[in-house]
Amino acid sequence: MFSRRFSLLAVAAFVLASTIGPGSPGPAGAADSTVTISQGVDPVTMDPLKRTITPTTNVHYALFDTLVRHDLSGKMIPWVATSWKRVSPTVWEYKLRHDVKFWNGDPLTSADVKFSVEKIKDPAEGSEQGPRVATVERIETPDPYTIRYITAKPTAMIAGYPWEVFIVSSKYWKEHGDDVGKSSGYEAEHPMGSGAFIFKSWRKDEQLVMDANANYWHGKPAIDHIVWKPIPEAASRVAALRTGETDLITNVPSQYQLQLAGGSKTRLKSARSVRVLFFAFNTLKPGPQQNKIVRQALNYAIDVPAIIRTVLGGRGYQVSSPLPTNFVGYSPKIPFYQHDLAKAKALLAQAGFPDGKGLEMVVNAPTGRYNKDKEVAEAIVGQLNATGGHFSTKIQEWTSYVNQTSSRALTPMYELGWGNDSYDADNTLTSLFTSDARLSTYANPALDKLVTDARYEPDVAKRQAIYDKALAIIHDEAPWLFLFEYEDLYASSKRLVWQARGDELIYCDDMKLQ
Amino acid sequence: MTTFLLRRAVGAVWVVVGVAVTVFLILHLTGDPAAVMMPPDATTEQVAAFRHNQGFDRPLYVQFGSFAWNALRGDFGNSLRHGEPALGLALERFPASFELAISALLLAIVVAVPIGILAAVRRNSPVDLAARVFALIGQSAPVYWMGIMLILIFGVQLGWFPVSGIGGIRHLVLPTVTLALFTMAQLMRLTRASMLDVMQSDYLRTARAKGVAPLVVLWKHALRNAWLPVITVIGTELVTLFSQAVITETIYSWPGVARLAVQAIVDRDYPIVEVVVILAALAFVAINLLVDLLYASLDPRIRYE
């Protein structure tokens, strides 16, 4: 009996002892020059050539360099590339800095850029970043600090975005069994970058630590250490900020904005997002949504400013077209669909639905994917029902929802958000409005031609004129309910000096402490 | 005993095979991982290439054959999201989940059993009433709400404990309490009911009539018999704790296997979901076997042949 009791006690003591280990070297009590950042999820890999998930990309931006960056207004600025120009209709040439070194001291050269792009293009790599380099046919490296992208057709520079590729060390990768057409997976946990911060340690779903790169070509960062500590639950992220466990949190729900803006230790940060929320009509399936007049009527029936005010707490901006205002290709000539219920009813009567009679539509929406996605759908349905028609919501979990968007199965209308961080019209219009695009539920050969022409038009003014026409067609045809650009909310500790960006990216080399 | 163990081992194999087939079929019939994994601006050709590279364009029975053959050799494939072996990713998170579940179970036992006994001994007293109210709250309060409340009170307002992540014992307190509450209430009610049942039995009346000291009656005669159903429930509660950890790990940013599994389900990351479910099935089979063995050691009347 004694031995049995003793055994139970021993097991209990062991388990308790195992839980009383030394604390992890977290931010609490760490030096002042440590900044802790809490996103909703952990990065998935340290291989920067595979994924396109923003929380992972943010970590990669601290560890790796790119040829160019976008400033806060979305304008492209030199980074590792000092200049770029079109040297012939199908060739874009970039000149690289001479003083960029990887953490191990190896210089960053054009061979590394070539290697990085070719790895992404390699089908065996299965990289999600393929669309970024889709227009690049091959790469030439005339000298160690010059790189040339050769495209099959004359291409407006933005048509693919190879400059957003993170540059890895080709020598290091090859030393560890990786090459084009061959993958060892070593870099998934052992990165070698040239970025402002040096990878130190990573305990998955717990914390990733990086130290300032004292030899960084852009100057040593002001922060000595960055700790990435994922916190999936929004309420817990807010609590962690309020207790000082973290310095910066992302995806702040709007209901916390007053609490965080008025907090003694917290600051609310916001940026006008590149992400646009809309409801697309599936014009490829039979139903009233195939009638342009019905689509226009429903655009007049909704009161977007009211939705922004009531559902988003004022954190949004109505759009007149699929493009945010700071995008290349945006046309200020396109008017908004102003809320006008009488006009909506008149148009519906013209379309054969007097007082909305006989008009029944399901409004599909995901839940938990975009800020207030479900609530926006419910508000829209309330407003649409004022036409006299019968509208109802069908809310689904994101993974099953996204499967149906990919197969164009959602009909007659469905909610989607689009965040295009290239600040250019091409990605949005090609992906969502051209007949062959996987996510497009609208087909119009005239629009296809305009979007393709713009992609390959090198002259800036002519390209804009093409987009003006394309956006006018989209406005008139109304294949969407045009809603709003989000305003992204972040919150930080008062000691952190940092500015939120509209493209959801976080650059740690910009950060300072007060 | 050997026969019993052999029979249970064979049964365990069938359970795990059944679980593996079920999880494989459910995962492959509920959606296309390419739709979730590939970026929205990927072309149809790029999505097709992804499916081909991952072998999702093969007939389902071929995919299952390949999965089963590799799984038998301990290879569950690479995570679609992380690009690393799924087995390694799951195994490295199990200790954190185990730590949380065991701590919660111990806390539940340490609190629930004495209070359950006290409530039974002092039936209908204020102590009993308080214990029953506590049990009611513990079983009816949602884990999510309770977790957030504890964070706000003990983390944000009082500043006693960290509100997220793993570390020393201070990090363990709030998630352990959150996770333990439901089980604590369950065990308390069961201990009380079981004790009340035993205390009304004839052999206890006989013991008292013989003049055995009250504490000895309670400890040697009542408690040892009341323990049996409690032990059984403790085993199943450990399983419950692992499943409830999904919410607790998310609220407290605890780097356990449940959080990994939830994210993998959201991402349709088949290899991770498969390996986590199969490992969990193995763990549950082992726990059930342990409970059965413990049962026999506590009750001399039970012999496995």
Side-chain angles (χ1 to χ4, degrees), chain A residues 1 4-5 12 15 19-24 41 44-45 51-53 123-124 126 128 130-131 161 188-189 204-206 229-233 235-236 239-240 242-243 245 399-400 402-403 406 418 427 431 436 438-439, chain B residues 31-32 35-37 39-42 44 46-47 53 80-84 89 92-93 99 102-103 106 144 148 151-152 155-157 162-164 166-169 172 219 224 250-251 253 255 259 263 265-266 268 297:
Chain A
M1 184 53 131
R4 191 182 295 151
R5 276 187 208 156
V15 172
T19 65
I20 312 176
S24 60
V41 293
V44 296
T45 178
R51 304 287 173 240
T52 53
I53 311 158
E128 293 171 5
Y161 25 108
E189 292 193 353
K204 286 170 194 150
D205 278 347
E206 191 181 335
K229 182 179 169 185
I231 304 179
E233 173 54 44
S236 308
R242 292 176 66 197
T243 60
E245 284 176 45
T399 37
S400 52
V402 74
N403 267 294
S406 296
W418 192 257
N427 171 275
S431 303
D436 294 335
R438 196 165 53 93
L439 292 179
Chain B
D32 177 10
V36 183
M37 300 300 294
D41 53 353
T44 309
Q46 286 162 337
V47 172
N53 284 336
L80 304 181
R81 187 176 173 90
H82 298 264
E84 295 181 62
L89 287 166
E92 68 188 21
R93 282 165 175 81
E99 178 181 333
I102 293 293
S103 310
L106 282 177
Y144 175 83
I148 298 293
I151 283 177
L152 288 177
V156 177
Q157 296 301 329
V163 299
S164 67
I166 190 169
I169 195 148
L172 191 59
W219 183 253
R224 282 199 64 188
T250 302
I251 296 172
S253 189
R259 203 170 121 200
Q263 190 61 48
I265 290 167
V266 169
R268 289 285 190 277
S297 75

Side-chain angles (χ1 to χ4, degrees), chain B residues 42-110:
Chain B
T43 60
T44 309
E45 294 74 31
Q46 286 162 337
V47 172
F50 173 84
R51 286 204 191 96
H52 181 70
N53 284 336
Q54 299 294 339
F56 295 139
D57 54 353
R58 297 174 298 169
L60 196 58
Y61 68 89
V62 176
Q63 291 185 54
F64 181 74
S66 165
F67 160 73
W69 174 243
N70 289 327
L72 280 175
R73 295 181 298 158
D75 176 10
F76 289 86
N78 278 1
S79 154
L80 304 181
R81 187 176 173 90
H82 298 264
E84 295 181 62
L87 182 62
L89 287 166
L91 285 178
E92 68 188 21
R93 282 165 175 81
F94 258 97
S97 288
F98 190 71
E99 178 181 333
L100 183 58
I102 293 293
S103 310
L105 186 65
L106 282 177
L107 179 68
I109 295 170
V110 165

Side-chain angles (χ1 to χ4, degrees), chain B residues 148-200:
Chain B
I148 298 293
M149 286 299 109
L150 291 178
I151 283 177
L152 288 177
I153 296 167
F154 296 102
V156 177
Q157 296 301 329
L158 299 173
W160 290 356
F161 303 106
V163 299
S164 67
I166 190 169
I169 195 148
R170 288 182 67 243
H171 283 85
L172 191 59
V173 173
L174 293 184
T176 299
V177 172
T178 305
L179 188 57
L181 273 175
F182 183 86
T183 300
M184 203 183 278
Q186 176 102 327
L187 286 181
M188 187 189 297
R189 289 182 61 182
L190 186 71
T191 307
R192 177 182 176 276
S194 188
M195 280 293 286
L196 283 175
D197 192 34
V198 170
M199 282 164 71
Q200 286 161 5

Side-chain angles (χ1 to χ4, degrees), chain A residues 131 134-135 158-161 322-323 408 418 420 422 424-444 447-456 463 467 470-471 474 480, chain B residues 40-46:
Chain A
T135 54
I158 202 73
Y161 25 108
L323 302 179
R408 300 167 165 178
W418 192 257
N420 166 7
S422 68
D424 187 277
D426 180 73
N427 171 275
T428 302
L429 300 190
T430 303
S431 303
L432 299 175
F433 293 97
T434 54
S435 307
D436 294 335
R438 196 165 53 93
L439 292 179
S440 170
T441 48
Y442 175 72
N444 181 341
L447 184 63
D448 290 352
K449 183 174 183 318
L450 287 171
V451 173
T452 308
D453 287 351
R455 165 173 273 203
Y456 296 114
R463 193 165 179 249
Y467 279 134
L471 294 175
I474 290 172
W480 283 9
Chain B
D41 53 353
T43 60
T44 309
E45 294 74 31
Q46 286 162 337

